[in-house]
């Protein structure tokens, strides 16, 4: 659901839901056909074209067949080498969106443009905080099992989201993590240690606050599951929730207010940011 569609549904008093679609694979096939057409027009074999751009024959084939998401750098190179006149570059944004699952594409766009992000995580370290090793482990243990190409595609997309930390102006970001999230050794103890170090590093950024929700708390403001609050440049707050691959973008005022209130209660119940970073340091000492 796009933000525009969400706002229209808000006026109607309903909430929308993003479902899986073939939109991502469709744009990849279109891009692949155009890429092949320009390569053939230039009289280049895949091996020759690959050597000019620094990619293997198998990778070029995967791009042309719509099986892998080409990075922006490749698209720029291909457009120039093949003298495509900007045709390939014009598809760059849509191709980039295709690297995310269909249910997350609009949320990823809103996240990338957000002026504020507030994330509650209760199962695993959220993607914006994950190390490469931790993210790879998360994709590798997913059931049903993903093939290697899907794992690499998911990993590339997840790490690309972390470019938000170098954005200017920097968005204001906060995270509330369940204590159990920081103790679950996804990928093994060494991977967990690296992940804790990353949480500590990002938690010291001036625009980021990380809080830990202790398991010993008798009261809990959000047992309904994880969610994210996204503030757009236009001054709107939108909520995103995902459970078992089923996701929703909420723009209706009543639902957003409800989740906003839950997040405020969570922050009051959790350890303070300084207490939370001290707790992470303690865990690092134990690991």
């Amino acid at each position: 659901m796009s933000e525009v569609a969400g706002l229209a549904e808000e006026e109607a008093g309903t909430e929308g839901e993003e479902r899986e679609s073939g939109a991502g694979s469709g744009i990849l096939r279109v891009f692949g056909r155009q890429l092949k057409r320009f390569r053939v027009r230039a009289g280049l074999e895949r091996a020759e074209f690959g050597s000019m751009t620094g990619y293997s024959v198998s990778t070029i084939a995967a791009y042309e067949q719509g099986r892998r998401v080409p990075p922006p750098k490749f698209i720029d190179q291909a457009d120039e080498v093949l003298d495509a006149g900007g045709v390939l570059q014009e598809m760059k944004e849509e191709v980039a969106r295709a690297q995310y699952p269909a249910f997350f594409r609009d949320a990823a766009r809103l996240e990338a443009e957000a002026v504020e992000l507030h994330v509650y995580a209760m199962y695993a370290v959220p993607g914006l905080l994950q190390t490469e090793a931790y993210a790879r482990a998360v994709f590798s243990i997913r059931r049903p099992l993903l093939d290697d190409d899907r794992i690499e595609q998911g990993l590339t997309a997840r790490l690309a989201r972390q470019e938000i930390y170098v954005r200017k102006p920097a968005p204001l970001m906060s995270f509330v993590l369940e204590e159990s999230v920081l103790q679950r050794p996804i990928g093994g103890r060494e991977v967990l240690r690296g992940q804790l170090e990353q949480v500590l590093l990002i938690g010291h950024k001036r625009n980021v606050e990380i809080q830990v929700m202790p398991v010993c708390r008798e009261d809990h403001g959000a047992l309904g599951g994880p969610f994210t609050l996204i503030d757009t440049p236009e001054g709107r707050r939108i909520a995103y929730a995902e459970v078992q691959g089923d996701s929703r973008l909420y723009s209706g005022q009543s639902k957003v207010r409800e989740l906003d209130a839950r997040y405020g209660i969570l922050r009051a119940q959790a350890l303070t940011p300084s207490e939370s970073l001290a707790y992470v340091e303690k865990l690092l000492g134990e690991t």
Side-chain angles (χ1 to χ4, degrees), residues 1-273:
M1 177 181 66
S2 68
E3 182 179 358
V4 173
L7 300 182
E9 291 190 347
E10 177 187 343
E11 293 176 358
T14 61
E15 304 290 355
E17 181 175 6
E18 173 84 6
R19 297 295 186 182
E20 277 287 350
S21 70
S25 58
I27 187 62
L28 292 182
R29 287 193 294 270
V30 171
F31 176 84
R33 287 197 295 268
Q34 292 296 324
L35 177 65
K36 182 177 180 179
R37 180 174 290 110
F38 282 115
R39 177 180 62 78
V40 172
R41 188 192 69 173
L44 298 174
E45 296 294 330
R46 282 177 179 164
E48 187 178 3
F49 178 51
S51 65
M52 297 172 70
T53 55
Y55 293 82
S56 67
V57 173
S58 61
T59 299
I60 297 298
Y63 292 160
E64 290 185 350
Q65 294 162 10
R67 292 186 290 106
R68 290 183 63 179
V69 181
K73 179 181 176 182
F74 169 81
I75 296 176
D76 289 337
Q77 287 179 300
D79 199 279
E80 181 179 351
V81 170
L82 300 177
D83 193 24
V87 172
L88 298 179
Q89 288 178 319
E90 286 180 358
M91 290 185 278
K92 188 161 57 174
E93 183 176 341
E94 289 302 315
V95 168
R97 278 166 51 81
Q99 66 188 323
Y100 300 108
F103 64 81
F104 186 66
R105 285 180 197 133
D106 285 313
R109 176 182 59 80
L110 290 169
E111 178 186 88
E113 299 170 352
V115 294
E116 288 190 28
L117 275 174
H118 306 285
V119 181
Y120 168 53
M122 61 185 306
Y123 302 126
V125 174
L128 287 174
L129 296 176
Q130 290 179 8
T131 64
E132 180 175 349
Y134 187 96
R136 185 181 295 279
V138 169
F139 285 115
S140 297
I141 64 176
R142 182 173 294 179
R143 299 295 189 276
L145 293 172
L146 302 177
D147 60 35
D148 290 343
D149 280 349
R150 290 285 301 279
I151 290 174
E152 292 303 320
Q153 178 179 321
L155 181 62
T156 299
R158 182 152 299 177
L159 296 179
R161 290 169 56 201
Q162 296 180 11
E163 293 178 3
I164 194 171
Y165 293 115
V166 296
R167 247 185 50 196
K168 293 183 180 180
L172 181 63
M173 304 171 69
S174 72
F175 300 85
V176 177
L177 313 180
E178 288 293 328
E179 181 180 2
S180 58
V181 165
L182 299 174
Q183 297 177 349
R184 184 170 293 121
I186 293 175
R189 291 291 173 183
E190 286 303 312
V191 170
L192 176 61
R193 180 174 181 81
Q195 181 59 70
L196 292 175
E197 290 173 346
Q198 172 126 318
V199 169
L200 199 60
L201 181 67
I202 295 177
H204 280 104
K205 290 181 177 292
R206 293 176 55 206
N207 64 312
V208 178
E209 289 189 339
I210 296 177
Q211 293 179 253
V212 176
M213 181 66 174
V215 296
C216 64
R217 293 288 193 259
E218 294 184 4
D219 292 331
H220 195 294
L223 291 176
F227 59 89
T228 299
L229 298 172
I230 306 170
D231 285 8
T232 71
E234 295 76 28
R236 297 197 60 86
R237 173 159 285 188
I238 295 174
Y240 173 77
E242 178 187 336
V243 178
Q244 298 295 334
D246 187 15
S247 68
R248 287 178 182 266
L249 275 172
Y250 296 100
S251 59
Q253 290 185 5
S254 60
K255 185 64 176 180
V256 173
R257 276 200 304 264
E258 176 185 319
L259 292 175
D260 188 41
R262 289 182 185 177
Y263 193 76
I265 294 171
L266 274 176
R267 296 200 69 178
Q269 294 170 333
L271 299 178
T272 67

Side-chain angles (χ1 to χ4, degrees), residues 261-283:
R262 289 182 185 177
Y263 193 76
I265 294 171
L266 274 176
R267 296 200 69 178
Q269 294 170 333
L271 299 178
T272 67
S274 59
E275 291 171 339
S276 298
L277 295 183
Y279 174 75
V280 176
E281 289 179 339
K282 178 177 177 289
L283 287 180

